Each structure stands twice: as structure tokens, then as C-alpha cells.
Coordinates of all heavy atoms in Angstrom, one line a residue:
M1063 N -2.0 9.1 -21.0 CA -1.4 8.2 -20.0 C -2.6 7.5 -19.2 O -3.6 8.2 -18.9 CB -0.6 9.0 -19.0 CG 0.1 8.2 -17.9 SD -0.9 7.8 -16.4 CE -1.0 9.4 -15.7
I1064 N -2.5 6.3 -19.0 CA -3.5 5.5 -18.2 C -2.7 5.0 -16.9 O -1.7 4.4 -17.1 CB -4.1 4.4 -19.0 CG1 -4.9 4.9 -20.2 CG2 -5.0 3.5 -18.0 CD1 -5.3 3.8 -21.1
R1065 N -3.3 5.3 -15.8 CA -2.7 4.7 -14.5 C -3.7 3.5 -14.1 O -4.8 3.8 -13.9 CB -2.6 5.7 -13.4 CG -2.0 5.2 -12.1 CD -1.7 6.2 -11.1 NE -0.7 7.2 -11.6 CZ -0.9 8.5 -11.7 NH1 -2.0 9.0 -11.3 NH2 0.0 9.3 -12.2
H1066 N -3.1 2.4 -14.0 CA -3.8 1.1 -13.6 C -3.4 0.8 -12.2 O -2.2 0.6 -11.9 CB -3.4 0.0 -14.6 CG -3.9 -1.3 -14.2 ND1 -5.2 -1.7 -14.3 CD2 -3.2 -2.5 -13.9 CE1 -5.3 -3.0 -13.9 NE2 -4.1 -3.4 -13.7
T1067 N -4.4 0.8 -11.3 CA -4.1 0.5 -9.9 C -5.1 -0.6 -9.4 O -6.2 -0.6 -9.8 CB -4.2 1.7 -9.0 OG1 -5.6 2.2 -9.1 CG2 -3.3 2.8 -9.4
V1068 N -4.6 -1.5 -8.6 CA -5.4 -2.5 -8.0 C -5.0 -2.7 -6.6 O -3.8 -2.8 -6.2 CB -5.1 -3.9 -8.8 CG1 -6.1 -4.9 -8.2 CG2 -5.3 -3.7 -10.3
A1069 N -6.0 -2.6 -5.7 CA -5.8 -2.9 -4.3 C -6.3 -4.4 -4.1 O -7.4 -4.7 -4.7 CB -6.6 -2.0 -3.4
F1070 N -5.6 -5.2 -3.3 CA -6.1 -6.6 -3.2 C -5.7 -7.2 -1.9 O -4.9 -6.7 -1.1 CB -5.5 -7.4 -4.4 CG -4.0 -7.5 -4.4 CD1 -3.3 -8.6 -3.9 CD2 -3.3 -6.5 -5.1 CE1 -1.9 -8.6 -4.0 CE2 -1.9 -6.6 -5.2 CZ -1.2 -7.7 -4.6
R1071 N -6.3 -8.3 -1.6 CA -6.1 -9.1 -0.4 C -5.9 -10.6 -0.9 O -6.7 -11.0 -1.7 CB -7.3 -9.0 0.6 CG -7.2 -9.7 1.8 CD -8.3 -9.3 2.9 NE -9.5 -9.0 2.3 CZ -10.5 -9.9 2.0 NH1 -10.3 -11.2 2.3 NH2 -11.6 -9.6 1.5
L1072 N -5.0 -11.3 -0.3 CA -4.7 -12.7 -0.7 C -5.4 -13.6 0.3 O -5.7 -13.3 1.4 CB -3.2 -12.9 -0.7 CG -2.4 -12.1 -1.7 CD1 -0.9 -12.3 -1.4 CD2 -2.7 -12.4 -3.1
H1073 N -5.5 -14.9 -0.2 CA -6.0 -16.0 0.6 C -4.9 -16.4 1.5 O -5.1 -17.0 2.6 CB -6.4 -17.2 -0.2 CG -7.7 -17.0 -1.0 ND1 -8.9 -16.8 -0.4 CD2 -7.9 -16.9 -2.3 CE1 -9.9 -16.6 -1.3 NE2 -9.3 -16.6 -2.5
H1074 N -3.6 -16.2 1.2 CA -2.5 -16.7 1.9 C -2.3 -15.9 3.3 O -2.6 -14.7 3.4 CB -1.2 -16.5 1.1 CG -1.3 -17.1 -0.3 ND1 -1.6 -18.4 -0.5 CD2 -1.1 -16.6 -1.5 CE1 -1.7 -18.7 -1.7 NE2 -1.4 -17.5 -2.4
A1075 N -1.7 -16.6 4.2 CA -1.4 -16.0 5.5 C -0.2 -15.0 5.3 O 0.7 -15.2 4.5 CB -0.9 -17.1 6.5
A1076 N -0.3 -13.9 6.1 CA 0.7 -12.9 6.1 C 2.0 -13.5 6.4 O 2.2 -14.2 7.4 CB 0.3 -11.8 7.1
G1077 N 3.0 -13.1 5.7 CA 4.4 -13.6 5.9 C 4.7 -15.0 5.4 O 5.8 -15.5 5.6
S1078 N 3.7 -15.7 4.8 CA 3.9 -17.0 4.4 C 4.7 -17.1 3.1 O 4.9 -16.1 2.4 CB 2.6 -17.7 4.1 OG 1.9 -17.1 3.0
A1079 N 5.3 -18.2 2.9 CA 6.1 -18.5 1.6 C 5.2 -18.3 0.4 O 5.6 -17.8 -0.6 CB 6.7 -19.9 1.6
E1080 N 3.9 -18.7 0.5 CA 2.9 -18.6 -0.6 C 2.7 -17.1 -0.9 O 2.6 -16.7 -2.1 CB 1.6 -19.3 -0.3 CG 1.7 -20.8 -0.1 CD 2.2 -21.3 1.2 OE1 2.4 -20.4 2.2 OE2 2.3 -22.5 1.4
E1081 N 2.6 -16.3 0.1 CA 2.3 -14.9 -0.1 C 3.5 -14.3 -0.8 O 3.4 -13.5 -1.8 CB 2.1 -14.2 1.3 CG 2.0 -12.7 1.1 CD 2.1 -12.0 2.5 OE1 3.1 -12.2 3.2 OE2 1.1 -11.3 2.9
Q1082 N 4.7 -14.6 -0.3 CA 5.9 -14.0 -1.0 C 6.1 -14.5 -2.4 O 6.5 -13.7 -3.3 CB 7.2 -14.4 -0.1 CG 7.2 -13.8 1.3 CD 7.0 -12.3 1.2 OE1 7.6 -11.5 0.5 NE2 6.0 -11.8 2.0
D1083 N 5.8 -15.7 -2.7 CA 5.9 -16.3 -4.0 C 4.9 -15.6 -4.9 O 5.2 -15.2 -6.1 CB 5.6 -17.8 -4.0 CG 5.8 -18.4 -5.4 OD1 6.9 -18.3 -5.9 OD2 4.8 -19.0 -5.9
F1084 N 3.7 -15.3 -4.5 CA 2.7 -14.6 -5.2 C 3.2 -13.2 -5.5 O 3.1 -12.7 -6.7 CB 1.3 -14.5 -4.5 CG 0.3 -13.7 -5.3 CD1 -0.5 -14.3 -6.2 CD2 0.2 -12.3 -5.1 CE1 -1.4 -13.6 -7.0 CE2 -0.7 -11.6 -5.8 CZ -1.5 -12.2 -6.7
L1085 N 3.7 -12.5 -4.5 CA 4.1 -11.1 -4.8 C 5.3 -11.0 -5.8 O 5.4 -10.1 -6.6 CB 4.5 -10.5 -3.4 CG 3.4 -10.3 -2.4 CD1 3.9 -9.8 -1.1 CD2 2.3 -9.4 -2.9
A1086 N 6.2 -12.0 -5.7 CA 7.3 -12.1 -6.7 C 6.8 -12.3 -8.1 O 7.2 -11.6 -9.0 CB 8.3 -13.2 -6.3
A1087 N 5.8 -13.1 -8.2 CA 5.2 -13.4 -9.5 C 4.4 -12.1 -10.0 O 4.5 -11.8 -11.2 CB 4.2 -14.6 -9.5
N1088 N 3.8 -11.4 -9.1 CA 3.1 -10.2 -9.5 C 4.1 -9.1 -9.9 O 3.9 -8.4 -10.9 CB 2.3 -9.7 -8.3 CG 1.3 -8.6 -8.6 OD1 1.4 -8.0 -9.6 ND2 0.3 -8.4 -7.7
A1089 N 5.2 -9.0 -9.2 CA 6.2 -8.0 -9.5 C 6.8 -8.2 -11.0 O 7.2 -7.3 -11.6 CB 7.3 -8.0 -8.5
A1090 N 6.8 -9.5 -11.4 CA 7.3 -9.8 -12.7 C 6.5 -9.2 -13.8 O 7.0 -9.0 -14.9 CB 7.4 -11.3 -12.9
L1091 N 5.3 -8.8 -13.5 CA 4.5 -8.1 -14.6 C 5.0 -6.8 -15.0 O 4.8 -6.3 -16.1 CB 3.0 -8.0 -14.0 CG 2.2 -9.2 -13.7 CD1 0.9 -8.8 -13.2 CD2 2.1 -10.1 -15.0
G1092 N 5.9 -6.2 -14.1 CA 6.5 -4.9 -14.4 C 7.4 -5.0 -15.6 O 7.8 -4.0 -16.2
S1093 N 7.8 -6.2 -16.0 CA 8.8 -6.3 -17.1 C 8.0 -6.5 -18.5 O 8.7 -6.6 -19.5 CB 9.7 -7.5 -16.9 OG 9.0 -8.7 -16.9
I1094 N 6.7 -6.5 -18.4 CA 6.0 -6.6 -19.7 C 6.1 -5.3 -20.5 O 6.0 -4.2 -19.9 CB 4.5 -7.0 -19.4 CG1 4.3 -8.4 -18.8 CG2 3.7 -6.8 -20.7 CD1 3.0 -8.7 -18.4
P1095 N 6.4 -5.4 -21.8 CA 6.6 -4.2 -22.6 C 5.4 -3.3 -22.5 O 4.2 -3.7 -22.5 CB 6.7 -4.7 -24.0 CG 7.2 -6.1 -23.8 CD 6.6 -6.6 -22.6
G1096 N 5.6 -2.0 -22.4 CA 4.6 -1.0 -22.2 C 4.3 -0.6 -20.8 O 3.7 0.5 -20.6
V1097 N 4.7 -1.4 -19.8 CA 4.5 -1.1 -18.4 C 5.5 0.0 -18.0 O 6.7 -0.2 -18.2 CB 4.6 -2.3 -17.5 CG1 4.5 -1.9 -16.1 CG2 3.5 -3.3 -17.9
E1098 N 5.0 1.1 -17.4 CA 5.9 2.1 -16.9 C 5.6 2.4 -15.4 O 4.4 2.2 -15.0 CB 5.7 3.4 -17.7 CG 6.0 3.3 -19.2 CD 5.6 4.5 -20.0 OE1 5.2 5.6 -19.4 OE2 5.6 4.4 -21.2
R1099 N 6.5 2.8 -14.7 CA 6.3 3.2 -13.3 C 5.6 2.1 -12.5 O 4.7 2.4 -11.7 CB 5.6 4.5 -13.2 CG 6.4 5.7 -13.7 CD 5.7 7.0 -13.5 NE 6.5 8.1 -13.9 CZ 6.6 8.6 -15.1 NH1 5.8 8.1 -16.0 NH2 7.3 9.6 -15.4
F1100 N 6.1 0.9 -12.6 CA 5.5 -0.2 -11.9 C 5.9 -0.2 -10.4 O 7.0 0.1 -10.0 CB 6.0 -1.6 -12.4 CG 5.3 -2.8 -11.7 CD1 4.2 -3.3 -12.2 CD2 5.9 -3.3 -10.6 CE1 3.7 -4.4 -11.5 CE2 5.4 -4.4 -9.9 CZ 4.3 -5.0 -10.4
E1101 N 4.9 -0.3 -9.5 CA 5.1 -0.4 -8.1 C 4.2 -1.4 -7.4 O 3.1 -1.5 -7.7 CB 4.8 1.0 -7.4 CG 5.7 2.1 -7.8 CD 5.3 3.4 -7.1 OE1 4.1 3.9 -7.3 OE2 6.1 3.9 -6.3
L1102 N 4.8 -2.2 -6.6 CA 4.1 -3.1 -5.8 C 4.1 -2.5 -4.4 O 5.1 -2.1 -3.8 CB 4.8 -4.5 -5.7 CG 4.0 -5.6 -5.0 CD1 2.6 -5.8 -5.7 CD2 4.8 -6.9 -5.2
L1103 N 2.9 -2.4 -3.8 CA 2.7 -1.5 -2.6 C 2.1 -2.3 -1.4 O 1.3 -3.2 -1.7 CB 1.8 -0.3 -2.9 CG 2.2 0.5 -4.2 CD1 1.1 1.2 -4.7 CD2 3.4 1.4 -3.8
R1104 N 2.3 -1.9 -0.2 CA 1.7 -2.5 1.0 C 0.7 -1.4 1.6 O 1.1 -0.2 1.7 CB 2.7 -2.8 2.1 CG 2.1 -3.5 3.3 CD 3.1 -3.9 4.4 NE 4.1 -4.7 3.9 CZ 4.0 -6.1 3.7 NH1 2.9 -6.7 4.1 NH2 5.0 -6.8 3.3
Q1105 N -0.5 -1.8 1.8 CA -1.5 -1.0 2.4 C -1.2 -0.7 3.9 O -0.8 -1.6 4.6 CB -2.8 -1.7 2.3 CG -4.0 -1.0 3.0 CD -4.4 0.3 2.4 OE1 -3.9 1.4 2.9 NE2 -5.1 0.3 1.4
V1106 N -1.2 0.6 4.3 CA -1.0 0.9 5.7 C -2.1 1.6 6.4 O -2.1 1.8 7.6 CB 0.3 1.9 5.8 CG1 1.5 1.2 5.3 CG2 0.1 3.2 5.0
S1107 N -3.2 1.9 5.7 CA -4.4 2.5 6.2 C -5.3 1.4 6.8 O -5.6 0.4 6.2 CB -5.1 3.3 5.2 OG -6.3 3.8 5.7
P1108 N -5.9 1.7 8.0 CA -6.9 0.8 8.5 C -8.3 1.1 7.9 O -9.3 0.5 8.3 CB -6.9 1.2 10.0 CG -6.6 2.6 10.0 CD -5.6 2.8 8.9
K1109 N -8.4 1.9 6.9 CA -9.7 2.3 6.4 C -10.3 1.3 5.4 O -11.5 1.4 5.0 CB -9.6 3.6 5.6 CG -9.3 4.8 6.6 CD -9.1 6.1 5.8 CE -8.7 7.2 6.8 NZ -8.4 8.4 6.0
N1110 N -9.6 0.2 5.1 CA -10.1 -0.8 4.2 C -9.4 -2.1 4.5 O -8.5 -2.2 5.3 CB -10.0 -0.5 2.7 CG -8.6 -0.4 2.2 OD1 -7.9 -1.4 2.3 ND2 -8.2 0.8 1.8
D1111 N -9.9 -3.2 4.0 CA -9.4 -4.6 4.3 C -8.4 -5.1 3.3 O -7.9 -6.2 3.4 CB -10.6 -5.6 4.3 CG -11.5 -5.3 5.5 OD1 -11.0 -4.9 6.5 OD2 -12.7 -5.7 5.4
F1112 N -8.0 -4.2 2.3 CA -7.0 -4.7 1.4 C -5.6 -4.6 2.0 O -5.3 -3.8 2.9 CB -7.0 -3.8 0.1 CG -8.3 -3.9 -0.6 CD1 -9.1 -2.8 -0.7 CD2 -8.7 -5.1 -1.2 CE1 -10.3 -2.9 -1.4 CE2 -9.9 -5.2 -1.8 CZ -10.7 -4.1 -2.0
T1113 N -4.7 -5.5 1.6 CA -3.4 -5.6 2.1 C -2.3 -5.1 1.2 O -1.3 -4.5 1.7 CB -3.1 -7.1 2.4 OG1 -4.2 -7.7 3.1 CG2 -1.8 -7.3 3.2
Y1114 N -2.5 -5.2 -0.1 CA -1.5 -4.8 -1.1 C -2.1 -4.0 -2.2 O -3.3 -4.0 -2.4 CB -0.8 -6.0 -1.7 CG 0.0 -6.8 -0.7 CD1 -0.5 -8.0 -0.2 CD2 1.3 -6.4 -0.3 CE1 0.3 -8.7 0.7 CE2 2.0 -7.1 0.6 CZ 1.5 -8.2 1.1 OH 2.3 -8.9 2.0
G1115 N -1.2 -3.3 -2.9 CA -1.6 -2.6 -4.1 C -0.6 -2.8 -5.1 O 0.6 -3.1 -4.8
V1116 N -1.0 -2.6 -6.4 CA -0.1 -2.5 -7.5 C -0.5 -1.3 -8.3 O -1.7 -1.0 -8.4 CB -0.1 -3.8 -8.3 CG1 -1.4 -4.1 -9.0 CG2 1.0 -3.9 -9.3
S1117 N 0.5 -0.6 -8.8 CA 0.3 0.6 -9.6 C 1.2 0.5 -10.8 O 2.4 0.2 -10.7 CB 0.5 1.8 -8.8 OG 0.3 3.0 -9.6
M1118 N 0.7 0.9 -12.0 CA 1.6 1.0 -13.2 C 0.9 2.0 -14.1 O -0.3 2.3 -14.0 CB 1.8 -0.4 -13.8 CG 0.5 -1.0 -14.3 SD 0.7 -2.7 -14.8 CE 0.5 -3.6 -13.3
E1119 N 1.7 2.5 -15.0 CA 1.2 3.4 -16.0 C 1.5 2.9 -17.4 O 2.4 2.2 -17.6 CB 1.9 4.8 -15.8 CG 1.5 5.5 -14.5 CD 2.1 6.8 -14.3 OE1 2.9 7.3 -15.2 OE2 1.9 7.4 -13.2
F1120 N 0.6 3.4 -18.3 CA 0.8 3.1 -19.8 C 0.7 4.4 -20.6 O -0.1 5.3 -20.2 CB -0.4 2.1 -20.2 CG -0.3 0.8 -19.4 CD1 -1.0 0.7 -18.3 CD2 0.5 -0.2 -19.9 CE1 -1.0 -0.5 -17.6 CE2 0.5 -1.4 -19.2 CZ -0.2 -1.6 -18.0
A1121 N 1.5 4.4 -21.6 CA 1.5 5.7 -22.4 C 0.1 6.0 -23.0 O -0.3 7.2 -23.1 CB 2.5 5.6 -23.5
D1122 N -0.6 4.9 -23.4 CA -1.9 5.1 -24.1 C -2.7 3.9 -24.0 O -2.3 2.9 -23.5 CB -1.6 5.6 -25.6 CG -0.7 4.7 -26.3 OD1 -0.7 3.5 -26.0 OD2 -0.1 5.1 -27.3
Q1123 N -3.9 3.9 -24.6 CA -4.8 2.8 -24.6 C -4.2 1.6 -25.3 O -4.4 0.5 -24.9 CB -6.2 3.2 -25.3 CG -7.2 2.1 -25.1 CD -7.6 1.9 -23.7 OE1 -7.9 2.8 -22.9 NE2 -7.7 0.6 -23.2
A1124 N -3.5 1.8 -26.4 CA -2.8 0.7 -27.1 C -1.8 0.0 -26.3 O -1.8 -1.3 -26.3 CB -2.2 1.2 -28.4
A1125 N -1.1 0.7 -25.5 CA -0.1 0.0 -24.6 C -0.8 -0.8 -23.5 O -0.4 -1.9 -23.1 CB 0.9 1.1 -24.0
Y1126 N -1.9 -0.2 -23.0 CA -2.7 -0.9 -22.0 C -3.4 -2.1 -22.5 O -3.4 -3.2 -21.9 CB -3.7 0.1 -21.4 CG -4.6 -0.5 -20.2 CD1 -4.0 -1.0 -19.1 CD2 -6.0 -0.5 -20.3 CE1 -4.7 -1.5 -18.1 CE2 -6.7 -1.0 -19.3 CZ -6.1 -1.5 -18.2 OH -6.9 -2.1 -17.2
D1127 N -3.9 -2.0 -23.7 CA -4.5 -3.2 -24.3 C -3.5 -4.3 -24.6 O -3.8 -5.5 -24.4 CB -5.2 -2.8 -25.7 CG -6.4 -1.9 -25.4 OD1 -7.0 -1.8 -24.3 OD2 -6.9 -1.3 -26.4
A1128 N -2.3 -3.9 -25.0 CA -1.2 -4.9 -25.3 C -0.9 -5.6 -24.0 O -0.6 -6.8 -24.0 CB 0.0 -4.2 -25.9
Y1129 N -0.8 -4.9 -22.9 CA -0.5 -5.5 -21.6 C -1.6 -6.5 -21.2 O -1.3 -7.6 -20.8 CB -0.4 -4.4 -20.5 CG -0.4 -4.9 -19.1 CD1 0.7 -5.4 -18.5 CD2 -1.6 -4.8 -18.3 CE1 0.7 -5.9 -17.2 CE2 -1.6 -5.3 -17.0 CZ -0.5 -5.8 -16.5 OH -0.5 -6.3 -15.2
N1130 N -2.8 -6.1 -21.4 CA -3.9 -7.0 -21.0 C -4.0 -8.3 -21.7 O -4.5 -9.3 -21.2 CB -5.3 -6.2 -21.1 CG -5.6 -5.4 -19.9 OD1 -5.4 -5.9 -18.7 ND2 -6.1 -4.2 -20.1
T1131 N -3.5 -8.2 -23.0 CA -3.6 -9.5 -23.8 C -2.2 -10.1 -23.9 O -2.1 -11.2 -24.5 CB -4.0 -9.1 -25.2 OG1 -3.2 -8.1 -25.8 CG2 -5.5 -8.6 -25.2
H1132 N -1.2 -9.6 -23.2 CA 0.2 -10.2 -23.2 C 0.1 -11.6 -22.6 O -0.6 -11.8 -21.5 CB 1.1 -9.3 -22.5 CG 2.6 -9.7 -22.7 ND1 3.1 -10.8 -21.9 CD2 3.5 -9.3 -23.5 CE1 4.4 -10.9 -22.3 NE2 4.7 -10.0 -23.2
P1133 N 0.7 -12.6 -23.2 CA 0.6 -14.0 -22.6 C 1.0 -14.1 -21.2 O 0.4 -14.9 -20.4 CB 1.5 -14.8 -23.5 CG 1.7 -14.0 -24.8 CD 1.5 -12.5 -24.4
D1134 N 2.0 -13.3 -20.7 CA 2.5 -13.4 -19.3 C 1.4 -12.9 -18.4 O 1.2 -13.4 -17.3 CB 3.8 -12.6 -19.1 CG 5.0 -13.3 -19.8 OD1 4.9 -14.4 -20.3 OD2 6.0 -12.6 -19.9
H1135 N 0.7 -11.8 -18.8 CA -0.4 -11.2 -18.0 C -1.6 -12.2 -18.0 O -2.1 -12.5 -16.9 CB -0.8 -9.9 -18.5 CG -1.9 -9.3 -17.8 ND1 -3.2 -9.3 -18.2 CD2 -2.0 -8.7 -16.5 CE1 -4.0 -8.7 -17.3 NE2 -3.3 -8.4 -16.3
V1136 N -1.9 -12.7 -19.1 CA -3.1 -13.6 -19.2 C -2.8 -14.9 -18.3 O -3.7 -15.3 -17.6 CB -3.3 -14.0 -20.7 CG1 -4.4 -15.1 -20.8 CG2 -3.8 -12.8 -21.5
A1137 N -1.6 -15.4 -18.4 CA -1.3 -16.6 -17.6 C -1.3 -16.3 -16.1 O -1.8 -17.1 -15.3 CB 0.1 -17.2 -18.0
F1138 N -0.8 -15.1 -15.7 CA -0.7 -14.7 -14.3 C -2.1 -14.6 -13.8 O -2.4 -15.1 -12.7 CB 0.0 -13.3 -14.1 CG 0.0 -12.9 -12.7 CD1 0.8 -13.4 -11.8 CD2 -0.9 -11.9 -12.4 CE1 0.7 -12.9 -10.4 CE2 -1.0 -11.4 -11.1 CZ -0.1 -12.0 -10.1
V1139 N -3.0 -13.9 -14.5 CA -4.4 -13.8 -14.1 C -5.1 -15.1 -13.9 O -5.7 -15.4 -12.9 CB -5.2 -12.9 -15.0 CG1 -6.7 -12.9 -14.7 CG2 -4.7 -11.4 -15.0
R1140 N -4.9 -16.0 -14.9 CA -5.5 -17.3 -14.9 C -5.0 -18.2 -13.8 O -5.7 -18.8 -13.0 CB -5.4 -18.0 -16.2 CG -6.0 -19.4 -16.4 CD -5.5 -20.1 -17.6 NE -4.1 -20.3 -17.6 CZ -3.3 -20.0 -18.6 NH1 -3.7 -19.4 -19.8 NH2 -1.9 -20.2 -18.5
D1141 N -3.6 -18.3 -13.7 CA -3.0 -19.3 -12.9 C -2.7 -18.8 -11.4 O -2.6 -19.7 -10.5 CB -1.7 -19.7 -13.5 CG -1.8 -20.3 -14.9 OD1 -2.9 -20.8 -15.2 OD2 -0.9 -20.3 -15.6
R1142 N -2.6 -17.5 -11.2 CA -2.2 -17.0 -9.9 C -3.3 -16.1 -9.3 O -3.8 -16.3 -8.2 CB -0.9 -16.3 -9.9 CG 0.3 -17.0 -10.5 CD 0.6 -18.3 -9.6 NE 0.9 -18.0 -8.3 CZ 2.1 -17.9 -7.7 NH1 3.2 -17.9 -8.4 NH2 2.2 -17.7 -6.4
W1143 N -3.7 -15.1 -10.1 CA -4.7 -14.1 -9.6 C -6.0 -14.7 -9.2 O -6.5 -14.6 -8.0 CB -4.9 -12.9 -10.6 CG -5.6 -11.8 -10.0 CD1 -7.0 -11.6 -10.1 CD2 -5.1 -10.7 -9.3 NE1 -7.3 -10.5 -9.5 CE2 -6.2 -9.9 -9.0 CE3 -3.8 -10.3 -8.9 CZ2 -6.1 -8.7 -8.3 CZ3 -3.7 -9.1 -8.2 CH2 -4.8 -8.3 -7.9
V1144 N -6.6 -15.4 -10.1 CA -8.0 -15.9 -9.8 C -8.0 -16.9 -8.6 O -8.8 -16.7 -7.7 CB -8.5 -16.6 -11.1 CG1 -9.8 -17.3 -10.8 CG2 -8.8 -15.5 -12.2
P1145 N -7.1 -17.8 -8.5 CA -7.1 -18.7 -7.4 C -6.6 -18.2 -6.0 O -6.9 -18.7 -5.0 CB -6.3 -19.9 -7.8 CG -5.4 -19.5 -8.8 CD -6.1 -18.3 -9.5
E1146 N -5.7 -17.1 -6.1 CA -5.0 -16.7 -4.9 C -5.5 -15.4 -4.3 O -5.2 -15.1 -3.2 CB -3.5 -16.6 -5.1 CG -2.9 -18.0 -5.5 CD -1.5 -18.0 -5.8 OE1 -0.7 -17.6 -4.9 OE2 -1.0 -18.4 -6.9
V1147 N -6.2 -14.6 -5.1 CA -6.7 -13.3 -4.6 C -8.1 -13.4 -4.0 O -9.0 -13.9 -4.6 CB -6.6 -12.2 -5.7 CG1 -7.3 -10.9 -5.2 CG2 -5.2 -12.0 -6.1
A1148 N -8.2 -13.0 -2.7 CA -9.5 -13.1 -2.0 C -10.5 -12.0 -2.4 O -11.7 -12.2 -2.6 CB -9.3 -13.1 -0.5
D1149 N -9.9 -10.8 -2.6 CA -10.8 -9.7 -3.0 C -9.9 -8.6 -3.6 O -8.7 -8.5 -3.3 CB -11.5 -9.1 -1.8 CG -12.7 -8.2 -2.1 OD1 -13.1 -8.1 -3.3 OD2 -13.1 -7.5 -1.3
F1150 N -10.5 -7.8 -4.5 CA -9.7 -6.7 -5.1 C -10.6 -5.6 -5.6 O -11.8 -5.8 -5.8 CB -8.8 -7.2 -6.2 CG -9.6 -7.6 -7.5 CD1 -9.7 -6.7 -8.5 CD2 -10.1 -8.9 -7.6 CE1 -10.4 -7.1 -9.7 CE2 -10.8 -9.2 -8.8 CZ -10.9 -8.3 -9.8
L1151 N -10.0 -4.4 -5.8 CA -10.6 -3.3 -6.4 C -9.7 -2.8 -7.5 O -8.5 -2.4 -7.1 CB -10.9 -2.2 -5.3 CG -11.4 -0.9 -5.9 CD1 -12.8 -1.1 -6.5 CD2 -11.5 0.1 -4.7
E1152 N -10.1 -2.7 -8.7 CA -9.3 -2.2 -9.8 C -9.8 -0.9 -10.2 O -11.0 -0.6 -10.4 CB -9.4 -3.2 -11.0 CG -8.5 -2.8 -12.2 CD -8.6 -3.8 -13.2 OE1 -8.6 -5.0 -12.9 OE2 -8.5 -3.5 -14.4
I1153 N -8.8 0.1 -10.4 CA -9.2 1.4 -10.9 C -8.2 1.8 -12.0 O -7.0 1.7 -11.8 CB -9.1 2.4 -9.7 CG1 -10.0 2.0 -8.5 CG2 -9.3 3.8 -10.2 CD1 -9.8 2.9 -7.3
D1154 N -8.8 2.2 -13.1 CA -8.0 2.7 -14.2 C -8.4 4.1 -14.5 O -9.6 4.4 -14.7 CB -8.2 1.9 -15.5 CG -7.8 0.4 -15.3 OD1 -6.7 0.2 -14.7 OD2 -8.6 -0.5 -15.7
V1155 N -7.4 5.1 -14.4 CA -7.7 6.5 -14.5 C -6.8 7.2 -15.5 O -5.7 6.7 -15.8 CB -7.6 7.2 -13.1 CG1 -8.7 6.6 -12.2 CG2 -6.3 7.0 -12.5
V1156 N -7.3 8.3 -16.0 CA -6.5 9.2 -16.8 C -6.5 10.5 -16.2 O -7.5 10.9 -15.5 CB -7.0 9.2 -18.3 CG1 -7.0 7.8 -18.9 CG2 -8.5 9.7 -18.4
P1157 N -5.5 11.3 -16.5 CA -5.5 12.7 -15.9 C -6.6 13.5 -16.5 O -6.9 13.4 -17.6 CB -4.1 13.2 -16.3 CG -3.3 12.1 -16.7 CD -4.2 11.0 -17.2
L1158 N -7.1 14.4 -15.7 CA -8.1 15.4 -16.1 C -7.4 16.4 -16.9 O -6.2 16.8 -16.6 CB -8.8 16.0 -14.9 CG -9.7 15.1 -14.1 CD1 -10.2 15.9 -12.9 CD2 -10.8 14.6 -15.0
G1159 N -8.0 16.9 -18.0 CA -7.4 18.0 -18.8 C -7.1 19.2 -18.0 O -7.7 19.5 -17.0
G1160 N -6.2 20.1 -18.5 CA -6.0 21.3 -17.9 C -4.7 21.6 -17.4 O -3.7 21.5 -17.0

């Protein structure tokens, strides 16, 4: 299992129509085949400047690779993520054995 998490901050103003449209487009990524346990999250800690998070799991590396190259994901990154995200931190982790 691979857990893919991204914390991010948008260029859009909080509560704006642009922010809501971006979040809806981001949520649509949860329907890409292989995506499990998709969650779109709001940051509540004052310990960093990120506003949102997204978390999802993949059964294995093949499922994760298929997601990364899926046309819907590629288009979202190119058309929405790159121009609209001000900053982000991506973390991909696997469970420790034991």
C-alpha cells in the first residue's frame, strides 16, 4: 500500500468561487481507477501555512503509477494544479514492516 498525501495552499482567496471550483476539480481525482480512501482535507493547525490537504491510497506501485499517468490526472496537474497552487508539500509513504 502507498499513501499519497499533499498539503497545499492556493492562489485563490478563501471562500472564493475559484477556490471552490478548484477543490471540486481536485475531488474528481478520487474517481480515477486505483484510487482508494480519497479524502480532501482542510488544515486546522497553525503550525504551517498550508490550507488544504488531499490523501489517497493505492494498493501497490503499479496502481500509483497508473494514477500518475492517467489522462485526467495529467490534465488536472497541467491545467489546474500548476497555475492555481501557490505552494505544496507531497509525501508518499508505505507502512513499515512488522
